[in-house]
Amino acid sequence: MATLRLGDDAPDFTAQTTEGELTFHDWKGDGWAVLFSHPADFTPVCTTELGRVAQLKDEWAARNTKVLAVSVDALEDHTAWKSDIEEVSGAAVTYPIVADQDREVAELYDMIHPGAGDTSPVRSVFLIDPAGKVRLSLTYPKSAGRNFDEILRALDALQVNDAGPFSTPVDWKVGERIIVAPTVTTEDARARFKGVEVVKPYLRYAEAPSA
């Protein structure tokens, strides 16, 4: 299929994983999901990445978000590799790893890129919202490990965006000021939000809404 665009429906699939068979949409439920691919098991960069995702277990849960890893290796390889990941990271791998040997998921999400050296996936990331829409996608080459702190930050930004007529400025982090959408007048913004500051007619900051 064509490359997924922001706002597209995230394709559904049924797959075998280290946590049993799952159907993606049913498994995701009404929360958020992070779907990310890694090129191969028993490889150095992937070991550090999956370990970092395991370390962030409580952070994902706090954001009502599930994580799902994908590679084209076999289920028995995933299961054997988990002990290495847990030893290196010091964290239990409690999220599923899809055994995508037929490359169904990799092809649905365009994770295999021509010229990347073989038929394994590159490092793709998709953030999928409660409605099942693709809200963010990132693609890293096989040689560069991802920054999952940034993926968490982007997830936070998307959840704040959905909380009202807000966007977030450069390098925004939780607790910092948000930007009021241009569709809201300054008068209305001051009535609805705290700490409204007009920098330019089109750039108005306000305090982020409390959870």
Side-chain angles (χ1 to χ4, degrees):
M1 65 178 291
T3 300
L4 289 171
R5 297 181 183 274
L6 300 187
D8 285 351
D9 291 328
D12 198 14
F13 57 86
T14 299
Q16 294 295 329
T17 81
T18 51
E19 301 298 319
E21 183 178 274
L22 64 76
T23 297
F24 182 54
H25 287 181
D26 292 341
W27 170 83
K28 186 186 80 65
D30 59 2
W32 289 74
V34 179
L35 177 66
F36 70 102
S37 59
H38 62 277
D41 297 355
F42 299 104
T43 55
V45 177
C46 298
T47 300
T48 64
E49 287 192 323
L50 271 73
R52 180 59 177 152
V53 172
Q55 291 170 347
L56 292 170
K57 176 183 177 181
D58 292 343
E59 299 294 338
W60 305 122
R63 293 160 175 82
N64 190 28
T65 299
K66 294 181 176 181
V67 292
L68 182 61
V70 179
S71 92
V72 298
D73 288 329
L75 185 60
E76 53 266 30
D77 291 331
H78 290 347
T79 302
W81 182 41
K82 278 178 61 176
S83 62
D84 284 0
I85 299 168
E86 293 173 344
E87 179 185 351
V88 170
S89 67
V93 178
T94 58
Y95 58 88
I97 306 172
V98 171
D100 191 34
Q101 285 186 283
D102 62 3
R103 293 172 170 74
E104 176 189 357
V105 180
E107 291 176 1
L108 276 176
Y109 284 82
D110 195 26
M111 294 170 168
I112 298 174
H113 287 203
D118 55 29
T119 58
S120 63
V122 288
R123 302 184 192 281
S124 297
V125 184
F126 295 90
L127 297 189
I128 299 164
D129 70 12
K133 302 290 186 182
V134 175
R135 295 291 297 277
L136 180 145
S137 63
L138 295 167
T139 302
Y140 291 67
K142 295 179 182 181
S143 59
R146 285 162 285 206
N147 183 334
F148 281 93
D149 291 332
E150 164 57 16
I151 293 167
L152 272 176
R153 191 201 70 84
L155 177 60
D156 286 333
L158 289 171
Q159 293 186 347
V160 164
N161 297 160
D162 287 355
F166 311 128
S167 54
T168 51
V170 63
D171 297 333
W172 177 88
K173 296 181 181 67
V174 170
E176 297 178 348
R177 295 182 303 169
I178 48 83
I179 292 173
V180 179
T183 54
V184 179
T185 66
T186 298
E187 181 181 14
D188 189 19
R190 285 178 168 147
R192 296 170 61 185
F193 313 126
K194 296 179 180 179
V196 174
E197 177 192 1
V198 179
V199 178
K200 295 288 183 182
Y202 55 84
L203 175 57
R204 287 92 41 86
Y205 288 102
E207 293 180 19
S210 57

